[in-house]
Amino acid sequence: MRVVVEKLTKRFGGVVALDDVSMEVPSSSKVGIIGPNGSGKTTLFNVITGYYTPEKGKVLIGDGKKLTDITGWNPNEIARLGVVRTFQIPRLIPSLTVLENLLIFYDYNRCASIGYALRRKWLECEKKAVSKAMGILREFGLLEISNKKPSELSAGHLKLVETLRGLMADARVFLLDEPFAGIETWMARRLIEVIKMINSERKATFIVIEHRISELLEGVDYIYVLHNGRLLAEGKPGEVINDERVVKAYLGG
Ligand SMILES: Nc1ncnc2c1ncn2[C@@H]1O[C@H](COP(=O)(O)OP(=O)(O)OP(=O)(O)O)[C@@H](O)[C@H]1O
Ligand SMILES: [Mg+2]
């Protein structure tokens, strides 16, 4: 699924968190977003996913040439289109196990029809959800943590599980906010492999915010750079990190 952002502006009082930002994220691509602290990266995700309404501009999403204007839609409506996100600090539900945290992302609406109720098919639906969740945990080598609570998991596993919830929801667009923050290098590499796998096998689109640029470079095809709410540069990973303006922004220039 393709994501297009057109001239977005989002203010908080006197702070212009996003200033006329436009981006084009092609279907099935992996795009990175970098920029110094406070440059508007998380705000961009909050606007795309409907947590904030922009003062100006549009968010469009869709397949091929047919795009739907989702500006002003609420987060639930946007999630139902297949857009999922992860947070800078992972937000799994602490009282639920890993398996249960996956189960709550299953689309139970598909079982909510009168037909299902009349034929007492709820159990069948629950079974399908469990087998889907177990299938995902098996595929990504996480069966051994399926009954663990978030407090028992490493930072890397928290990030991984949060990402895999998107598969439960059959997500088509994954927005990952600093997936490598606070995790060990080998785990970051594993997460990159997971992103690549989901991208190539399920044709999902990824937009990844990250400060750990060396790791990000391995995982994405294209990068946008934000600085003070504005788009500072864009391009292929190798080009962007050598861009003088980008280097200057990171050095505080
Ligand atoms: N809910 C809010 N209320 C007021 N100001 C906000 C709010 N959210 C973000 N801001 C401000 O908007 C600007 C952009 O913040 P944002 O969180 O988008 O930056 P970021 O690029 O994600 O930074 P970081 O790399 O530190 O996560 C900052 O000046 C921030 O203080
Ligand atoms: Mg942020």
Side-chain angles (χ1 to χ4, degrees):
M1 211 187 263
R2 187 173 151 218
V3 181
V4 178
V5 160
E6 277 180 13
K7 296 175 172 292
L8 279 186
T9 296
K10 176 70 198 165
R11 294 195 186 89
F12 297 104
V15 177
V16 189
L18 292 175
D19 188 0
D20 203 29
V21 172
S22 298
M23 279 181 194
E24 160 84 46
V25 180
S27 203
S28 311
S29 65
K30 302 185 290 316
V31 165
I33 298 179
I34 63 171
N37 293 112
S39 56
K41 305 180 298 296
T42 299
T43 302
L44 177 68
F45 275 13
N46 283 326
V47 172
I48 293 175
T49 51
Y51 286 81
Y52 297 149
T53 309
E55 274 79 39
K56 281 194 208 149
K58 282 184 187 169
V59 180
L60 306 143
I61 191 164
D63 287 308
K65 287 198 175 135
K66 195 173 160 286
L67 289 173
T68 306
D69 183 348
I70 59 166
T71 324
W73 288 29
N74 72 44
N76 286 335
E77 292 169 331
I78 295 172
R80 238 175 275 134
L81 285 181
V83 180
V84 291
R85 73 177 295 185
T86 65
F87 294 86
Q88 263 175 274
I89 313 275
R91 293 194 188 170
L92 297 177
I93 297 183
S95 58
L96 300 182
T97 64
V98 166
L99 175 63
E100 290 162 343
N101 266 289
L102 288 184
L103 288 176
I104 54 172
F105 268 64
Y106 189 72
D107 180 10
Y108 292 94
N109 279 328
R110 65 181 79 175
C111 315
S113 74
I114 279 241
Y116 259 96
L118 288 177
R119 285 180 280 133
R120 298 181 199 283
K121 289 224 168 171
W122 292 104
L123 193 61
E124 202 174 290
C125 187
E126 298 272 332
K127 277 187 191 158
K128 270 192 197 156
V130 172
S131 98
K132 181 165 183 167
M134 293 303 275
I136 290 168
L137 291 171
R138 189 174 306 114
E139 182 178 354
F140 293 94
L142 296 173
L143 276 180
E144 76 272 18
I145 62 161
S146 62
N147 285 318
K148 288 209 192 310
K149 297 268 171 70
S151 60
E152 301 171 276
L153 302 182
S154 67
H157 273 141
L158 288 173
K159 298 272 189 185
L160 197 51
V161 172
E162 209 189 23
T163 305
L164 294 179
R165 290 195 306 195
L167 292 181
M168 274 309 276
D170 294 324
R172 318 256 321 272
V173 179
F174 288 71
L175 305 177
L176 310 184
D177 196 347
E178 298 194 25
F180 313 137
I183 73 177
E184 293 174 67
T185 306
W186 69 271
M187 198 64 196
R189 293 246 158 77
R190 189 164 163 206
L191 203 44
I192 291 168
E193 290 315 310
V194 168
I195 291 169
K196 286 183 175 166
M197 216 166 137
I198 299 173
N199 171 258
S200 68
E201 287 176 9
R202 304 180 198 224
K203 307 283 167 251
T205 305
F206 279 85
I207 309 179
V208 184
I209 294 174
E210 196 43 70
H211 281 293
R212 282 169 67 168
I213 293 172
S214 58
E215 269 107 1
L216 185 71
L217 296 182
E218 288 177 38
V220 297
D221 326 308
Y222 201 80
I223 288 187
Y224 286 97
V225 188
L226 285 175
H227 184 40
N228 293 332
R230 296 195 131 250
L231 197 62
L232 179 71
E234 65 177 280
K236 296 248 163 63
E239 297 162 11
V240 159
I241 50 152
N242 293 314
D243 187 313
E244 245 176 64
R245 292 166 303 170
V246 177
V247 176
K248 214 171 144 202
Y250 268 92
L251 294 177

